[in-house]
Coordinates of all heavy atoms in Angstrom, one line a residue:
M20 N 110.2 65.2 108.4 CA 109.2 65.8 107.6 C 109.8 67.2 107.2 O 110.3 67.9 108.1 CB 107.9 66.0 108.4 CG 106.9 66.8 107.6 SD 105.3 67.1 108.5 CE 105.2 65.8 109.6
R21 N 109.7 67.5 105.9 CA 110.2 68.8 105.5 C 109.1 69.9 105.7 O 107.9 69.6 105.6 CB 110.5 68.8 104.0 CG 111.7 67.9 103.7 CD 112.2 68.0 102.4 NE 112.7 69.4 102.2 CZ 113.2 69.8 101.0 NH1 113.2 69.0 100.0 NH2 113.6 71.1 100.9
Q22 N 109.6 71.1 106.1 CA 108.8 72.2 106.2 C 109.1 73.3 105.2 O 110.3 73.4 104.8 CB 108.9 72.8 107.7 CG 108.3 71.9 108.7 CD 108.3 72.5 110.1 OE1 109.3 73.1 110.5 NE2 107.2 72.3 110.8
Y23 N 108.2 74.1 104.9 CA 108.4 75.1 103.9 C 107.8 76.5 104.3 O 106.8 76.6 105.0 CB 107.6 74.7 102.6 CG 108.1 73.4 102.1 CD1 107.4 72.2 102.5 CD2 109.2 73.2 101.2 CE1 107.8 71.0 102.1 CE2 109.6 72.0 100.8 CZ 108.9 70.8 101.2 OH 109.3 69.6 100.8
P24 N 108.4 77.6 103.8 CA 107.9 78.9 104.1 C 106.6 79.1 103.2 O 106.5 78.6 102.1 CB 109.0 79.9 103.6 CG 109.8 79.1 102.7 CD 109.7 77.6 103.1
V25 N 105.6 79.8 103.8 CA 104.4 80.0 103.0 C 104.3 81.5 102.8 O 104.3 82.3 103.8 CB 103.2 79.4 103.7 CG1 101.9 79.9 103.0 CG2 103.3 77.9 103.8
F26 N 104.1 82.0 101.6 CA 103.9 83.4 101.3 C 102.4 83.6 101.1 O 101.8 82.9 100.3 CB 104.7 83.8 100.0 CG 106.2 83.8 100.3 CD1 106.9 82.6 100.2 CD2 106.8 84.9 100.7 CE1 108.3 82.6 100.4 CE2 108.2 84.9 100.9 CZ 108.9 83.7 100.8
V27 N 101.8 84.5 101.9 CA 100.4 84.8 101.8 C 100.2 86.1 101.2 O 100.7 87.1 101.7 CB 99.8 84.7 103.2 CG1 98.3 85.0 103.1 CG2 100.0 83.4 103.9
M28 N 99.5 86.2 100.1 CA 99.3 87.4 99.3 C 98.2 88.2 100.0 O 97.1 87.8 100.0 CB 98.9 87.1 97.9 CG 99.9 86.3 97.1 SD 101.5 87.0 97.1 CE 102.3 86.0 95.9
C29 N 98.5 89.3 100.6 CA 97.6 90.2 101.3 C 97.4 91.5 100.7 O 96.9 92.4 101.4 CB 98.1 90.3 102.8 SG 98.5 88.8 103.6
G30 N 98.0 91.7 99.6 CA 98.1 93.1 99.0 C 96.8 93.7 98.5 O 95.7 93.1 98.7
R31 N 96.9 94.8 98.0 CA 95.8 95.6 97.5 C 95.8 95.6 96.0 O 96.8 95.5 95.3 CB 96.0 97.1 98.0 CG 96.0 97.2 99.4 CD 96.7 98.5 99.8 NE 96.7 98.7 101.2 CZ 97.5 98.0 102.1 NH1 98.3 97.2 101.6 NH2 97.4 98.2 103.4
D32 N 94.6 95.8 95.5 CA 94.4 96.0 94.1 C 93.5 97.2 93.9 O 92.3 97.2 94.1 CB 93.8 94.7 93.5 CG 93.7 94.8 91.9 OD1 93.9 95.9 91.4 OD2 93.4 93.8 91.3
E33 N 94.2 98.3 93.5 CA 93.4 99.5 93.3 C 92.3 99.4 92.3 O 91.2 100.1 92.4 CB 94.4 100.7 92.9 CG 95.4 101.1 94.0 CD 94.7 101.5 95.3 OE1 93.7 102.2 95.2 OE2 95.2 101.1 96.3
K34 N 92.4 98.5 91.3 CA 91.3 98.3 90.4 C 90.1 97.7 91.0 O 89.0 97.9 90.5 CB 91.8 97.5 89.2 CG 92.9 98.1 88.4 CD 93.3 97.2 87.3 CE 94.4 97.8 86.5 NZ 95.0 96.9 85.5
R35 N 90.3 96.9 92.1 CA 89.2 96.3 92.7 C 88.7 97.0 94.0 O 88.0 96.5 94.7 CB 89.6 94.8 93.1 CG 89.9 94.0 91.9 CD 90.2 92.6 92.2 NE 90.4 91.9 91.0 CZ 91.0 90.7 91.0 NH1 91.4 90.1 92.1 NH2 91.2 90.1 89.9
R36 N 89.2 98.2 94.2 CA 88.9 99.0 95.4 C 87.4 99.2 95.5 O 86.9 99.4 96.6 CB 89.7 100.3 95.4 CG 89.5 101.1 96.6 CD 90.0 100.4 97.8 NE 89.5 101.1 99.0 CZ 89.6 100.7 100.2 NH1 90.2 99.5 100.4 NH2 89.1 101.3 101.2
K37 N 86.7 99.2 94.4 CA 85.2 99.5 94.4 C 84.5 98.5 95.2 O 83.5 98.9 95.9 CB 84.7 99.6 93.0 CG 85.1 100.8 92.2 CD 84.3 101.0 91.0 CE 84.8 102.1 90.2 NZ 84.4 103.4 90.6
I38 N 84.9 97.3 95.3 CA 84.2 96.3 96.1 C 84.4 96.6 97.6 O 83.5 96.4 98.4 CB 84.7 94.8 95.8 CG1 83.7 93.9 96.5 CG2 86.1 94.6 96.3 CD1 83.9 92.4 96.1
M39 N 85.5 97.2 97.9 CA 85.7 97.7 99.3 C 84.8 98.8 99.7 O 84.4 98.9 100.8 CB 87.2 98.1 99.5 CG 88.1 96.9 99.6 SD 87.8 95.8 101.0 CE 88.3 96.8 102.4
E40 N 84.5 99.7 98.7 CA 83.6 100.8 99.0 C 82.2 100.3 99.3 O 81.5 100.9 100.0 CB 83.6 101.7 97.7 CG 84.9 102.5 97.5 CD 84.9 103.2 96.2 OE1 83.9 103.2 95.5 OE2 86.0 103.7 95.9
V41 N 81.8 99.1 98.7 CA 80.5 98.5 98.9 C 80.6 97.8 100.3 O 79.6 97.9 101.1 CB 80.2 97.5 97.8 CG1 78.9 96.8 98.1 CG2 80.0 98.3 96.5
L42 N 81.6 97.0 100.5 CA 81.7 96.2 101.7 C 82.0 97.0 103.0 O 81.6 96.7 104.1 CB 82.7 95.1 101.6 CG 82.5 94.1 100.5 CD1 83.7 93.1 100.3 CD2 81.2 93.3 100.8
D43 N 82.8 98.1 102.8 CA 83.3 98.9 103.9 C 83.1 100.4 103.5 O 84.1 101.1 103.3 CB 84.7 98.6 104.1 CG 85.4 99.4 105.2 OD1 84.6 99.8 106.1 OD2 86.6 99.6 105.2
P44 N 81.9 100.9 103.5 CA 81.7 102.3 103.0 C 82.4 103.4 103.9 O 82.7 104.4 103.4 CB 80.2 102.5 103.0 CG 79.6 101.4 103.8 CD 80.7 100.3 103.8
E45 N 82.6 103.0 105.2 CA 83.3 104.0 106.1 C 84.8 104.0 105.9 O 85.5 104.8 106.5 CB 82.9 103.7 107.5 CG 81.4 103.9 107.7 CD 81.0 103.4 109.1 OE1 81.9 103.0 109.9 OE2 79.8 103.4 109.4
G46 N 85.3 103.0 105.2 CA 86.8 102.9 105.0 C 87.5 102.5 106.3 O 88.7 102.9 106.4
K47 N 87.0 101.6 107.1 CA 87.6 101.2 108.3 C 88.7 100.2 108.1 O 89.7 100.1 108.9 CB 86.6 100.5 109.3 CG 85.6 101.5 109.9 CD 84.5 100.8 110.7 CE 85.0 99.7 111.6 NZ 84.0 99.1 112.4
Y48 N 88.6 99.4 107.0 CA 89.6 98.3 106.7 C 90.4 98.7 105.5 O 89.9 98.9 104.5 CB 88.8 97.0 106.5 CG 87.9 96.7 107.7 CD1 86.5 97.0 107.6 CD2 88.4 96.2 108.9 CE1 85.7 96.7 108.7 CE2 87.6 96.0 110.0 CZ 86.2 96.2 109.8 OH 85.4 96.0 110.9
P49 N 91.7 98.6 105.7 CA 92.6 98.9 104.6 C 92.6 97.9 103.4 O 92.8 98.2 102.3 CB 94.0 99.0 105.2 CG 93.9 98.1 106.4 CD 92.5 98.2 106.9
V50 N 92.4 96.6 103.8 CA 92.3 95.5 102.8 C 91.2 94.6 103.2 O 90.8 94.5 104.3 CB 93.7 94.8 102.7 CG1 94.7 95.7 102.0 CG2 94.2 94.3 104.0
K51 N 90.8 93.8 102.2 CA 89.7 92.9 102.4 C 90.0 91.8 103.5 O 89.1 91.4 104.3 CB 89.3 92.2 101.1 CG 88.6 93.1 100.1 CD 88.2 92.3 98.9 CE 89.3 91.7 98.1 NZ 90.0 92.5 97.1
N52 N 91.2 91.4 103.5 CA 91.5 90.2 104.4 C 91.5 90.6 105.9 O 91.5 89.7 106.7 CB 92.8 89.5 104.0 CG 94.0 90.4 104.1 OD1 93.9 91.5 104.7 ND2 95.1 90.0 103.6
V53 N 91.4 91.8 106.3 CA 91.3 92.2 107.7 C 89.8 92.5 108.1 O 89.5 92.9 109.3 CB 92.2 93.3 108.1 CG1 93.6 92.9 107.9 CG2 91.9 94.6 107.4
M54 N 88.9 92.3 107.2 CA 87.5 92.5 107.5 C 87.0 91.4 108.3 O 87.4 90.2 108.1 CB 86.7 92.7 106.2 CG 87.0 94.0 105.4 SD 86.0 94.1 103.9 CE 84.4 94.5 104.7
P55 N 86.0 91.6 109.2 CA 85.5 90.5 110.0 C 84.6 89.6 109.2 O 83.9 90.0 108.3 CB 84.7 91.2 111.1 CG 84.4 92.6 110.5 CD 85.5 92.9 109.6
F56 N 84.7 88.3 109.5 CA 83.8 87.3 108.9 C 83.6 86.2 109.9 O 84.6 85.5 110.4 CB 84.5 86.7 107.6 CG 83.7 85.7 106.9 CD1 82.6 86.0 106.2 CD2 84.1 84.3 107.0 CE1 81.9 85.0 105.6 CE2 83.4 83.3 106.4 CZ 82.3 83.7 105.7
L57 N 82.4 85.9 110.3 CA 82.0 84.9 111.3 C 82.9 85.0 112.5 O 83.4 84.0 113.0 CB 82.1 83.5 110.6 CG 81.2 83.2 109.5 CD1 81.5 81.9 108.9 CD2 79.7 83.4 109.9
G58 N 83.0 86.2 113.0 CA 83.7 86.4 114.3 C 85.2 86.5 114.3 O 85.8 86.8 115.3
K59 N 85.8 86.4 113.2 CA 87.3 86.6 113.0 C 87.6 87.4 111.8 O 86.7 87.5 110.9 CB 88.0 85.3 113.0 CG 87.9 84.4 114.2 CD 88.9 83.3 114.2 CE 88.7 82.2 113.2 NZ 89.6 81.0 113.4
R60 N 88.8 87.9 111.7 CA 89.2 88.5 110.4 C 89.3 87.4 109.4 O 89.7 86.3 109.7 CB 90.5 89.3 110.6 CG 90.4 90.4 111.6 CD 91.7 91.1 111.8 NE 92.7 90.1 112.3 CZ 93.9 90.4 112.8 NH1 94.3 91.6 112.8 NH2 94.6 89.5 113.3
V61 N 89.1 87.8 108.1 CA 89.3 86.8 107.0 C 90.7 86.2 107.1 O 90.8 84.9 107.0 CB 89.0 87.4 105.7 CG1 89.3 86.5 104.5 CG2 87.5 87.9 105.6
I62 N 91.7 87.0 107.3 CA 93.0 86.4 107.3 C 93.3 85.5 108.4 O 94.1 84.5 108.3 CB 94.1 87.6 107.2 CG1 95.5 87.0 106.9 CG2 94.1 88.3 108.5 CD1 96.5 87.9 106.5
D63 N 92.6 85.7 109.5 CA 92.8 84.8 110.7 C 92.3 83.3 110.3 O 93.0 82.4 110.8 CB 92.0 85.3 111.9 CG 92.7 86.5 112.4 OD1 93.9 86.7 112.4 OD2 91.9 87.4 112.9
W64 N 91.3 83.2 109.6 CA 90.8 81.9 109.2 C 91.9 81.2 108.3 O 92.2 80.0 108.6 CB 89.5 82.0 108.3 CG 88.3 82.4 109.1 CD1 87.8 83.6 109.2 CD2 87.5 81.6 110.0 NE1 86.7 83.6 110.0 CE2 86.5 82.4 110.5 CE3 87.6 80.2 110.3 CZ2 85.5 81.9 111.4 CZ3 86.6 79.7 111.2 CH2 85.6 80.6 111.7
Q65 N 92.5 81.9 107.4 CA 93.5 81.4 106.6 C 94.8 81.0 107.3 O 95.3 79.9 107.2 CB 93.8 82.4 105.5 CG 94.8 82.0 104.5 CD 95.1 83.0 103.4 OE1 94.7 84.2 103.6 NE2 95.7 82.6 102.3
L66 N 95.2 82.0 108.2 CA 96.5 81.7 108.9 C 96.3 80.6 109.9 O 97.2 79.8 110.2 CB 97.0 83.0 109.5 CG 97.4 84.1 108.6 CD1 97.9 85.3 109.3 CD2 98.3 83.6 107.5
D67 N 95.1 80.5 110.6 CA 94.9 79.4 111.5 C 95.0 78.0 110.8 O 95.6 77.1 111.3 CB 93.5 79.5 112.2 CG 93.5 80.6 113.2 OD1 94.5 81.2 113.6 OD2 92.3 81.0 113.6
A68 N 94.5 77.9 109.6 CA 94.6 76.7 108.9 C 96.0 76.4 108.5 O 96.5 75.2 108.6 CB 93.7 76.7 107.6
L69 N 96.7 77.4 108.1 CA 98.1 77.2 107.7 C 99.0 76.8 108.9 O 99.8 75.9 108.8 CB 98.7 78.4 107.0 CG 98.2 78.7 105.6 CD1 98.6 80.1 105.2 CD2 98.7 77.7 104.6
R70 N 98.7 77.4 110.0 CA 99.5 77.1 111.2 C 99.3 75.7 111.7 O 100.1 75.1 112.4 CB 99.2 78.1 112.3 CG 99.7 79.5 112.1 CD 99.3 80.5 113.1 NE 99.7 80.1 114.4 CZ 98.9 80.1 115.5 NH1 97.7 80.6 115.4 NH2 99.3 79.7 116.7
A71 N 98.1 75.1 111.4 CA 97.8 73.8 111.8 C 98.5 72.7 111.0 O 98.6 71.6 111.3 CB 96.3 73.5 111.7
S72 N 99.1 73.1 109.9 CA 99.8 72.2 109.0 C 101.2 71.9 109.5 O 102.0 72.9 109.8 CB 99.9 72.8 107.6 OG 100.7 72.0 106.8
P73 N 101.6 70.7 109.5 CA 103.0 70.4 110.0 C 104.0 70.7 108.9 O 105.2 70.7 109.2 CB 103.0 68.9 110.2 CG 101.9 68.4 109.3 CD 100.8 69.5 109.3
Y74 N 103.6 71.1 107.7 CA 104.5 71.4 106.6 C 104.9 72.9 106.5 O 105.8 73.2 105.7 CB 103.9 71.0 105.3 CG 103.6 69.5 105.2 CD1 102.3 69.1 105.4 CD2 104.6 68.6 105.1 CE1 102.0 67.7 105.4 CE2 104.3 67.2 105.1 CZ 103.0 66.8 105.2 OH 102.7 65.5 105.2
V75 N 104.3 73.7 107.4 CA 104.6 75.2 107.3 C 105.6 75.5 108.3 O 105.5 75.3 109.5 CB 103.3 75.9 107.6 CG1 103.6 77.4 107.6 CG2 102.2 75.6 106.5
E76 N 106.7 76.2 107.8 CA 107.8 76.6 108.8 C 107.7 78.1 109.1 O 108.3 78.5 110.1 CB 109.2 76.2 108.2 CG 109.8 77.0 107.1 CD 110.4 78.4 107.4 OE1 110.7 78.7 108.6 OE2 110.5 79.1 106.5
G77 N 107.1 78.8 108.3 CA 106.9 80.3 108.6 C 105.9 80.9 107.7 O 105.7 80.4 106.5
L78 N 105.3 81.9 108.2 CA 104.3 82.7 107.4 C 104.8 84.0 107.0 O 105.2 84.8 107.9 CB 103.0 82.8 108.2 CG 102.3 81.5 108.6 CD1 101.2 81.8 109.7 CD2 101.7 80.8 107.4
Y79 N 104.8 84.3 105.7 CA 105.3 85.6 105.2 C 104.2 86.3 104.5 O 103.6 85.8 103.5 CB 106.4 85.3 104.2 CG 107.6 84.6 104.9 CD1 107.6 83.2 105.1 CD2 108.7 85.4 105.3 CE1 108.7 82.7 105.8 CE2 109.8 84.8 105.9 CZ 109.8 83.4 106.1 OH 110.9 82.9 106.8
L80 N 103.8 87.4 105.1 CA 102.6 88.2 104.6 C 103.1 89.3 103.7 O 103.8 90.2 104.1 CB 101.9 88.8 105.8 CG 101.5 87.8 106.9 CD1 100.7 88.5 108.0 CD2 100.7 86.7 106.4
I81 N 102.7 89.2 102.4 CA 103.1 90.1 101.4 C 101.9 91.1 101.2 O 100.8 90.8 100.9 CB 103.3 89.4 100.1 CG1 104.5 88.4 100.3 CG2 103.6 90.4 99.0 CD1 104.8 87.6 99.1
G82 N 102.3 92.4 101.4 CA 101.3 93.5 101.2 C 100.5 93.9 102.4 O 99.5 94.6 102.3
L83 N 100.9 93.4 103.6 CA 100.2 93.8 104.8 C 101.2 94.2 105.8 O 102.3 93.7 105.9 CB 99.5 92.5 105.4 CG 98.4 92.8 106.5 CD1 97.3 93.6 106.0 CD2 97.9 91.5 107.0
S84 N 100.9 95.3 106.6 CA 101.9 95.8 107.5 C 101.5 95.5 109.0 O 100.3 95.3 109.2 CB 102.1 97.3 107.3 OG 100.9 98.0 107.8
P85 N 102.4 95.7 109.9 CA 102.1 95.5 111.3 C 101.1 96.5 111.8 O 100.3 96.2 112.8 CB 103.4 95.6 112.1 CG 104.5 95.5 111.0 CD 103.8 95.9 109.7
Q86 N 101.0 97.6 111.2 CA 100.0 98.7 111.6 C 98.6 98.3 111.2 O 97.6 98.7 111.7 CB 100.4 100.0 111.0 CG 101.6 100.6 111.5 CD 102.9 100.0 110.8 OE1 102.8 99.5 109.7 NE2 104.0 100.1 111.6
E87 N 98.5 97.4 110.2 CA 97.2 97.0 109.7 C 96.6 95.7 110.3 O 95.4 95.6 110.4 CB 97.2 96.8 108.1 CG 97.6 98.1 107.4 CD 98.0 97.9 106.0 OE1 98.6 96.8 105.7 OE2 97.7 98.8 105.2
A88 N 97.5 94.9 110.8 CA 97.1 93.6 111.4 C 98.2 93.1 112.3 O 99.3 92.9 111.9 CB 96.8 92.6 110.3
V89 N 97.8 92.8 113.5 CA 98.7 92.3 114.5 C 98.2 90.9 114.9 O 97.1 90.6 114.9 CB 98.7 93.2 115.8 CG1 99.6 92.6 116.9 CG2 99.2 94.6 115.4
F90 N 99.2 90.0 115.1 CA 98.9 88.6 115.4 C 99.6 88.2 116.7 O 100.6 88.8 117.0 CB 99.4 87.7 114.2 CG 98.8 88.1 112.9 CD1 99.4 89.0 112.1 CD2 97.5 87.6 112.5 CE1 98.8 89.4 110.9 CE2 96.9 88.0 111.4 CZ 97.6 88.8 110.5
D91 N 99.0 87.2 117.4 CA 99.7 86.8 118.6 C 100.6 85.5 118.4 O 100.8 84.8 119.3 CB 98.6 86.5 119.7 CG 97.6 85.4 119.2 OD1 97.7 84.9 118.1 OD2 96.7 85.1 120.1
F92 N 101.0 85.4 117.2 CA 102.0 84.3 116.8 C 102.9 85.0 115.8 O 102.6 86.0 115.2 CB 101.2 83.1 116.2 CG 100.2 83.4 115.1 CD1 100.6 83.6 113.8 CD2 98.9 83.6 115.5 CE1 99.7 83.9 112.8 CE2 97.9 83.9 114.5 CZ 98.4 84.0 113.2
P93 N 104.1 84.4 115.6 CA 105.1 85.0 114.7 C 104.6 85.0 113.2 O 104.2 83.9 112.7 CB 106.3 84.1 114.9 CG 106.0 83.0 115.8 CD 104.6 83.2 116.2
V94 N 104.8 86.1 112.6 CA 104.6 86.2 111.1 C 105.7 87.2 110.7 O 106.3 87.9 111.4 CB 103.2 86.8 110.7 CG1 102.1 85.8 111.1 CG2 103.0 88.2 111.3
H95 N 106.0 87.1 109.4 CA 107.0 88.0 108.8 C 106.2 88.9 107.8 O 105.5 88.4 106.9 CB 108.1 87.2 108.0 CG 108.7 86.2 108.9 ND1 109.7 86.5 109.7 CD2 108.4 84.9 109.0 CE1 110.1 85.4 110.4 NE2 109.3 84.4 110.0
Y96 N 106.4 90.2 107.9 CA 105.8 91.1 107.0 C 106.8 91.4 105.9 O 107.9 91.8 106.1 CB 105.4 92.4 107.7 CG 104.4 92.2 108.8 CD1 104.8 92.0 110.1 CD2 103.0 92.3 108.5 CE1 103.8 91.8 111.1 CE2 102.1 92.1 109.6 CZ 102.5 91.8 110.8 OH 101.6 91.6 111.8
V97 N 106.3 91.2 104.7 CA 107.2 91.4 103.5 C 106.7 92.6 102.7 O 105.6 92.8 102.5 CB 107.2 90.1 102.6 CG1 108.1 90.4 101.4 CG2 107.6 88.9 103.4

Protein backbone atom coordinates (compact mmCIF):
# COMPACT_ATOMS: atom_id res chain seq x y z
CA MET A 1 0.00 0.00 0.00
CA ARG A 2 1.35 3.39 -0.96
CA GLN A 3 1.60 6.14 1.62
CA TYR A 4 1.66 9.86 1.00
CA PRO A 5 2.69 12.99 2.87
CA VAL A 6 -0.23 15.15 3.94
CA PHE A 7 0.06 18.92 4.09
CA VAL A 8 -2.35 20.50 6.57
CA MET A 9 -3.02 24.20 6.06
CA CYS A 10 -2.94 25.81 9.51
CA GLY A 11 -2.10 29.37 8.56
CA ARG A 12 -3.57 32.70 9.33
CA ASP A 13 -5.63 35.02 7.26
CA GLU A 14 -5.42 38.58 8.49
CA LYS A 15 -8.56 39.46 6.53
CA ARG A 16 -10.53 36.92 8.55
CA ARG A 17 -9.03 37.90 11.91
CA LYS A 18 -12.32 39.56 12.89
CA ILE A 19 -13.92 36.16 13.47
CA MET A 20 -11.16 35.40 15.96
CA GLU A 21 -11.97 38.61 17.80
CA VAL A 22 -15.53 37.31 18.22
CA LEU A 23 -14.58 33.72 19.09
CA ASP A 24 -11.54 34.63 21.20
CA PRO A 25 -11.91 38.20 22.51
CA GLU A 26 -9.00 37.76 24.96
CA GLY A 27 -6.63 36.69 22.18
CA LYS A 28 -5.58 33.42 23.85
CA TYR A 29 -5.39 31.47 20.60
CA PRO A 30 -3.10 32.48 17.72
CA VAL A 31 -5.14 30.60 15.09
CA LYS A 32 -8.60 29.05 14.90
CA ASN A 33 -7.40 25.47 14.70
CA VAL A 34 -5.92 25.49 18.22
CA MET A 35 -9.18 26.63 19.81
CA PRO A 36 -10.99 24.00 21.91
CA PHE A 37 -13.96 22.18 20.44
CA LEU A 38 -15.76 19.32 22.23
CA GLY A 39 -12.85 18.68 24.58
CA LYS A 40 -9.99 18.83 22.07
CA ARG A 41 -8.36 21.43 19.88
CA VAL A 42 -9.90 21.66 16.41
CA ILE A 43 -6.63 20.54 14.82
CA ASP A 44 -6.50 17.45 17.05
CA TRP A 45 -9.76 16.18 15.55
CA GLN A 46 -8.32 16.58 12.07
CA LEU A 47 -4.91 15.08 12.81
CA ASP A 48 -6.40 12.11 14.70
CA ALA A 49 -8.48 11.24 11.65
CA LEU A 50 -5.49 11.59 9.32
CA ARG A 51 -3.28 9.47 11.59
CA ALA A 52 -5.88 6.68 11.48
CA SER A 53 -5.50 6.43 7.71
CA PRO A 54 -3.09 3.79 6.39
CA TYR A 55 -2.32 6.06 3.43
CA VAL A 56 -0.67 8.86 5.43
CA GLU A 57 3.13 8.69 5.78
CA GLY A 58 3.69 12.04 7.44
CA LEU A 59 1.89 15.17 8.60
CA TYR A 60 3.25 18.51 7.49
CA LEU A 61 1.71 21.52 9.22
CA ILE A 62 1.90 24.70 7.19
CA GLY A 63 1.54 27.95 9.11
CA LEU A 64 1.72 26.57 12.66
CA SER A 65 4.78 26.58 14.89
CA PRO A 66 5.88 24.33 17.76
CA GLN A 67 5.34 27.28 20.12
CA GLU A 68 1.65 27.42 19.14
CA ALA A 69 0.81 23.72 19.23
CA VAL A 70 2.67 20.69 20.57
CA PHE A 71 1.68 17.13 19.73
CA ASP A 72 2.60 13.79 21.29
CA PHE A 73 3.19 12.25 17.87
CA PRO A 74 5.55 13.24 15.08
CA VAL A 75 4.62 16.19 12.88
CA HIS A 76 6.68 18.43 10.63
CA TYR A 77 6.27 22.20 10.96
CA VAL A 78 6.64 23.92 7.58
